[in-house]
Amino acid sequence: MLDHISPPLAFLAGLVSFLSPCVLPLVPAYVAYLGGRAGEAAEPVRLRLILAGVAFVAGLTLVFVLFFYAFQAVLSPFLPILAPRAGVLVLLLAPRL
């Protein structure tokens, strides 16, 4: 189904979604969290920051992948019913933008 999507295109889509208005306001909080982690001197600062960043990305990825598969498993039997209705809903709401 998604064989035509290349990794560079997926990366670009992720970058665009990162710069979207609903995600961009979260960046200062995340940077402040990482900056606060840098102030703790229990381990080398660079290693601690890298581990915190990797843990954040891995956790977020895991949550989104699990949600994707859960919703796909639940909603795929209803796809023939939901797809046309969702299309009509988009067409009805589009003029209101």
Side-chain angles (χ1 to χ4, degrees), residues 1-84:
M1 182 166 101
L2 299 176
D3 295 333
H4 62 282
I5 297 178
S6 66
L9 182 62
F11 178 77
L12 184 63
L15 186 62
V16 168
S17 69
F18 177 77
L19 297 175
S20 68
C22 58
V23 174
L24 205 53
L26 299 174
V27 173
Y30 176 63
V31 171
Y33 168 74
L34 284 180
R37 301 286 300 201
E40 301 170 6
E43 292 181 29
V45 175
R46 176 171 276 171
L47 178 63
R48 187 171 201 111
L49 284 176
I50 290 172
L51 289 176
V54 167
F56 176 80
V57 170
L60 200 62
T61 301
L62 179 67
V63 167
F64 278 112
V65 167
L66 289 177
F67 273 135
F68 169 76
Y69 283 117
F71 283 123
Q72 184 182 20
V74 170
L75 296 177
S76 62
F78 303 106
L79 191 60
I81 298 167
L82 291 176

